Amino acid sequence: MKSILRGTLPRAGPFYIKRGIAKSHRGHNEISSFKTAVETAEKLVQPKSDKFSDPFSIVSHEMSNLAKSIASLIGSGHPTLNRVSSYYFEAEGKNVRPLIVLLLSKALLKIPESERTRIDIDDQDVTEQPHYKGTPTKTSVAGNTVDDLISPLAVLHGINPRVILDPLSKPMDQLPQIDAINGILPKQRRLAEIVEMIHTASLLHDDVIDLSDARRGRPSGNIAFTNKMAVLAGDFLLGRASVAIARLRNPEVIELLSTTIANLVEGEFMQLKNTVMSTEPTINNDGDAKTVPEATGKVPTVLHEYSVATPKSVDHATNVDAAFEYYLHKTYLKTASLMSKLSRAAAVLSGAQDDVVENCYQFGRNLGLCFQIVDDMLDYTSSDDAIGKPSQADLKLGLATAPILFAWRERPELGELIARKFKEDGDVEIARRAVQQFDGVEKTRQMAREYCHRALENLSVLPPSDARSALELLTNSVLTRSK
């Protein structure tokens, strides 16, 4: 199978990963301050300074105003829609994705201006900061700030613009002064808000699909409101995010972020099928099998070259390898795609050179895979209260994640349970015992640890700074999180 990154998704099992070495940026190949953490794997770094005990501290102002800033972007004329759309932003979430954007933006600022010329950094982008001139052949089409309209307000809303305040055009509080102090470009700040909106929209949709009843320690959106309202609110968030994406006025970043939305849907469809072992043209309709209508041929459809459609093989090892590839690819689409592309977008907006942009992408990809693999592990080890949502839910939903796949490698008969999505009485209990017997959780932890190492290596392309140290600490903490 050709992966989305042409072979960069590693295989699973004892050979599931090859250590990648990040390219070192000229003049910035100093030894990472967290080398010890890399060598000792899961052990969390104890920073020399208390100010790094919380990565949020470096960007505390931006993070503390995140929900308020997002609220200004998602305002609607309908009060109930406003209520549903803002529901998940009210609860305390991890906010990992905007945190990555902000910390990475500060870390990229430490690269000399002379080495950040991949695009023009527009005067409106940098406000009080110097104007970084890019090469004549690689210019941006920025031109305006993230709050300026592209189309007339009357066109956007379809009503008299004098009677409505455009929620996407409100100026941010004291933006130039904040940028001059912190070195985070306005477009990078807006990027942080956009990615959290996209992520939250996916949570609203996921909770409907997974029939969840809790999220962030309280009733999920579909329970607090209705399935229909939760779906519509998620759609609304994606619509508002799309407008904000367009106003970044950078074609490459627009392409990256728009692709993440499509990736989320592709990943969800992969999860509906769940395994490469199923080749029947049926779909699950809330417990009932439904046959997929045959194509008429009027609309030609071509699978992507990275499509995962490996049929069931008579060879057990081949089946397990294919299942791991399917699992990792689904994980990339559902989780790592957004983290990788937001990291790349932050680097693009900074004007950094290609090697830095690529390593930022790989950092987000490896961190995203690590994050979701740990999440899958926690589903087997944590209580409902610890993770703020139902635990041990993956098997009940018929999902074959890393712990059970590792057990399947050692116990071939588990393949039948995986193929039928643990639907028969006793399947879930058999699977849980197998995971415990064959150390599925510990092998999953080692898998996550390897991705963590690779993410840290990618960060070595950046010059040493407080922000890079905070990113390294954040990366290590993913392995030791309990929720």
Side-chain angles (χ1 to χ4, degrees), residues 5 10 31 73 102 113 166 214 279 326 342 376 402 422:
L5 300 177
I31 297 175
L73 295 178
L102 296 171
E113 295 174 17
D166 180 15
T279 58
Y326 192 95
L342 69 85
D376 294 340
F422 316 105

PDB file of all heavy atoms in Angstrom, residues 5 10 31 73 102 113 166 214 279 326 342 376 402 422:
ATOM      1  N   LEU A   5       1.610   9.695   2.578  1.00  0.00           N
ATOM      2  CA  LEU A   5       2.900  10.370   2.524  1.00  0.00           C
ATOM      3  C   LEU A   5       3.915   9.535   1.770  1.00  0.00           C
ATOM      4  O   LEU A   5       5.105   9.642   1.975  1.00  0.00           O
ATOM      5  CB  LEU A   5       3.406  10.645   3.947  1.00  0.00           C
ATOM      6  CG  LEU A   5       2.480  11.528   4.759  1.00  0.00           C
ATOM      7  CD1 LEU A   5       3.029  11.694   6.170  1.00  0.00           C
ATOM      8  CD2 LEU A   5       2.327  12.869   4.103  1.00  0.00           C
ATOM      9  N   PRO A  10       4.798   4.120   9.191  1.00  0.00           N
ATOM     10  CA  PRO A  10       5.573   2.938   9.504  1.00  0.00           C
ATOM     11  C   PRO A  10       4.703   1.714   9.684  1.00  0.00           C
ATOM     12  O   PRO A  10       3.519   1.798   9.953  1.00  0.00           O
ATOM     13  CB  PRO A  10       6.248   3.303  10.830  1.00  0.00           C
ATOM     14  CG  PRO A  10       5.311   4.267  11.447  1.00  0.00           C
ATOM     15  CD  PRO A  10       4.698   5.035  10.318  1.00  0.00           C
ATOM     16  N   ILE A  31      22.645  20.528  20.542  1.00  0.00           N
ATOM     17  CA  ILE A  31      22.033  19.395  21.207  1.00  0.00           C
ATOM     18  C   ILE A  31      20.775  19.844  21.924  1.00  0.00           C
ATOM     19  O   ILE A  31      20.746  20.862  22.596  1.00  0.00           O
ATOM     20  CB  ILE A  31      23.007  18.758  22.214  1.00  0.00           C
ATOM     21  CG1 ILE A  31      24.229  18.224  21.469  1.00  0.00           C
ATOM     22  CG2 ILE A  31      22.331  17.630  22.988  1.00  0.00           C
ATOM     23  CD1 ILE A  31      25.296  17.681  22.395  1.00  0.00           C
ATOM     24  N   LEU A  73     -15.804  34.941  16.448  1.00  0.00           N
ATOM     25  CA  LEU A  73     -15.813  34.417  15.081  1.00  0.00           C
ATOM     26  C   LEU A  73     -17.060  33.610  14.768  1.00  0.00           C
ATOM     27  O   LEU A  73     -17.425  33.459  13.607  1.00  0.00           O
ATOM     28  CB  LEU A  73     -14.583  33.526  14.842  1.00  0.00           C
ATOM     29  CG  LEU A  73     -13.210  34.193  14.894  1.00  0.00           C
ATOM     30  CD1 LEU A  73     -12.108  33.151  14.684  1.00  0.00           C
ATOM     31  CD2 LEU A  73     -13.098  35.276  13.837  1.00  0.00           C
ATOM     32  N   LEU A 102       0.755  28.337  18.706  1.00  0.00           N
ATOM     33  CA  LEU A 102       1.320  29.522  19.353  1.00  0.00           C
ATOM     34  C   LEU A 102       2.770  29.297  19.773  1.00  0.00           C
ATOM     35  O   LEU A 102       3.629  30.167  19.568  1.00  0.00           O
ATOM     36  CB  LEU A 102       0.464  29.909  20.556  1.00  0.00           C
ATOM     37  CG  LEU A 102      -0.976  30.329  20.228  1.00  0.00           C
ATOM     38  CD1 LEU A 102      -1.808  30.474  21.491  1.00  0.00           C
ATOM     39  CD2 LEU A 102      -0.993  31.636  19.422  1.00  0.00           C
ATOM     40  N   GLU A 113      15.881  36.639  10.513  1.00  0.00           N
ATOM     41  CA  GLU A 113      15.029  37.156   9.442  1.00  0.00           C
ATOM     42  C   GLU A 113      15.573  36.816   8.070  1.00  0.00           C
ATOM     43  O   GLU A 113      14.808  36.559   7.136  1.00  0.00           O
ATOM     44  CB  GLU A 113      14.891  38.671   9.584  1.00  0.00           C
ATOM     45  CG  GLU A 113      14.164  39.110  10.845  1.00  0.00           C
ATOM     46  CD  GLU A 113      14.174  40.609  11.002  1.00  0.00           C
ATOM     47  OE1 GLU A 113      14.444  41.301   9.987  1.00  0.00           O
ATOM     48  OE2 GLU A 113      13.922  41.103  12.107  1.00  0.00           O
ATOM     49  N   ASP A 166     -20.831  42.234  11.756  1.00  0.00           N
ATOM     50  CA  ASP A 166     -20.182  41.043  11.216  1.00  0.00           C
ATOM     51  C   ASP A 166     -19.273  40.414  12.262  1.00  0.00           C
ATOM     52  O   ASP A 166     -18.288  41.014  12.677  1.00  0.00           O
ATOM     53  CB  ASP A 166     -19.356  41.424   9.979  1.00  0.00           C
ATOM     54  CG  ASP A 166     -18.660  40.229   9.365  1.00  0.00           C
ATOM     55  OD1 ASP A 166     -19.033  39.097   9.713  1.00  0.00           O
ATOM     56  OD2 ASP A 166     -17.753  40.436   8.548  1.00  0.00           O
ATOM     57  N   ALA A 214     -21.010  11.675  27.040  1.00  0.00           N
ATOM     58  CA  ALA A 214     -20.226  12.589  27.880  1.00  0.00           C
ATOM     59  C   ALA A 214     -19.035  13.120  27.102  1.00  0.00           C
ATOM     60  O   ALA A 214     -18.463  12.431  26.253  1.00  0.00           O
ATOM     61  CB  ALA A 214     -19.743  11.878  29.142  1.00  0.00           C
ATOM     62  N   THR A 279     -14.783  -6.866   3.270  1.00  0.00           N
ATOM     63  CA  THR A 279     -14.845  -6.526   1.849  1.00  0.00           C
ATOM     64  C   THR A 279     -16.284  -6.500   1.334  1.00  0.00           C
ATOM     65  O   THR A 279     -16.508  -6.286   0.158  1.00  0.00           O
ATOM     66  CB  THR A 279     -14.025  -7.540   1.025  1.00  0.00           C
ATOM     67  OG1 THR A 279     -14.546  -8.863   1.267  1.00  0.00           O
ATOM     68  CG2 THR A 279     -12.562  -7.498   1.395  1.00  0.00           C
ATOM     69  N   TYR A 326      -3.869   0.092   8.153  1.00  0.00           N
ATOM     70  CA  TYR A 326      -5.193   0.696   8.106  1.00  0.00           C
ATOM     71  C   TYR A 326      -5.422   1.554   9.346  1.00  0.00           C
ATOM     72  O   TYR A 326      -5.901   2.695   9.257  1.00  0.00           O
ATOM     73  CB  TYR A 326      -6.243  -0.417   8.032  1.00  0.00           C
ATOM     74  CG  TYR A 326      -7.640   0.048   7.696  1.00  0.00           C
ATOM     75  CD1 TYR A 326      -8.098   0.036   6.379  1.00  0.00           C
ATOM     76  CD2 TYR A 326      -8.519   0.484   8.682  1.00  0.00           C
ATOM     77  CE1 TYR A 326      -9.385   0.444   6.054  1.00  0.00           C
ATOM     78  CE2 TYR A 326      -9.803   0.895   8.368  1.00  0.00           C
ATOM     79  CZ  TYR A 326     -10.237   0.876   7.058  1.00  0.00           C
ATOM     80  OH  TYR A 326     -11.508   1.295   6.736  1.00  0.00           O
ATOM     81  N   LEU A 342      -1.486  22.033  10.679  1.00  0.00           N
ATOM     82  CA  LEU A 342      -1.441  23.300  11.403  1.00  0.00           C
ATOM     83  C   LEU A 342       0.004  23.677  11.715  1.00  0.00           C
ATOM     84  O   LEU A 342       0.363  24.867  11.703  1.00  0.00           O
ATOM     85  CB  LEU A 342      -2.280  23.244  12.677  1.00  0.00           C
ATOM     86  CG  LEU A 342      -1.837  22.361  13.857  1.00  0.00           C
ATOM     87  CD1 LEU A 342      -0.846  23.061  14.769  1.00  0.00           C
ATOM     88  CD2 LEU A 342      -3.065  21.937  14.670  1.00  0.00           C
ATOM     89  N   ASP A 376      -5.873   5.868  22.582  1.00  0.00           N
ATOM     90  CA  ASP A 376      -6.389   4.505  22.417  1.00  0.00           C
ATOM     91  C   ASP A 376      -5.941   3.612  23.567  1.00  0.00           C
ATOM     92  O   ASP A 376      -6.682   2.717  23.993  1.00  0.00           O
ATOM     93  CB  ASP A 376      -5.919   3.930  21.080  1.00  0.00           C
ATOM     94  CG  ASP A 376      -6.512   4.665  19.887  1.00  0.00           C
ATOM     95  OD1 ASP A 376      -7.546   5.345  20.061  1.00  0.00           O
ATOM     96  OD2 ASP A 376      -5.934   4.569  18.792  1.00  0.00           O
ATOM     97  N   ALA A 402      -4.775  -0.179  18.513  1.00  0.00           N
ATOM     98  CA  ALA A 402      -3.478  -0.825  18.658  1.00  0.00           C
ATOM     99  C   ALA A 402      -3.428  -1.930  19.715  1.00  0.00           C
ATOM    100  O   ALA A 402      -2.869  -3.002  19.452  1.00  0.00           O
ATOM    101  CB  ALA A 402      -2.403   0.227  18.928  1.00  0.00           C
ATOM    102  N   PHE A 422     -16.735  -7.347  17.428  1.00  0.00           N
ATOM    103  CA  PHE A 422     -17.008  -7.724  18.826  1.00  0.00           C
ATOM    104  C   PHE A 422     -18.504  -7.661  19.146  1.00  0.00           C
ATOM    105  O   PHE A 422     -18.887  -7.234  20.236  1.00  0.00           O
ATOM    106  CB  PHE A 422     -16.225  -6.808  19.791  1.00  0.00           C
ATOM    107  CG  PHE A 422     -14.797  -6.581  19.383  1.00  0.00           C
ATOM    108  CD1 PHE A 422     -14.397  -5.373  18.813  1.00  0.00           C
ATOM    109  CD2 PHE A 422     -13.836  -7.561  19.544  1.00  0.00           C
ATOM    110  CE1 PHE A 422     -13.076  -5.155  18.422  1.00  0.00           C
ATOM    111  CE2 PHE A 422     -12.525  -7.363  19.156  1.00  0.00           C
ATOM    112  CZ  PHE A 422     -12.133  -6.162  18.599  1.00  0.00           C
TER     113      PHE A 422
END
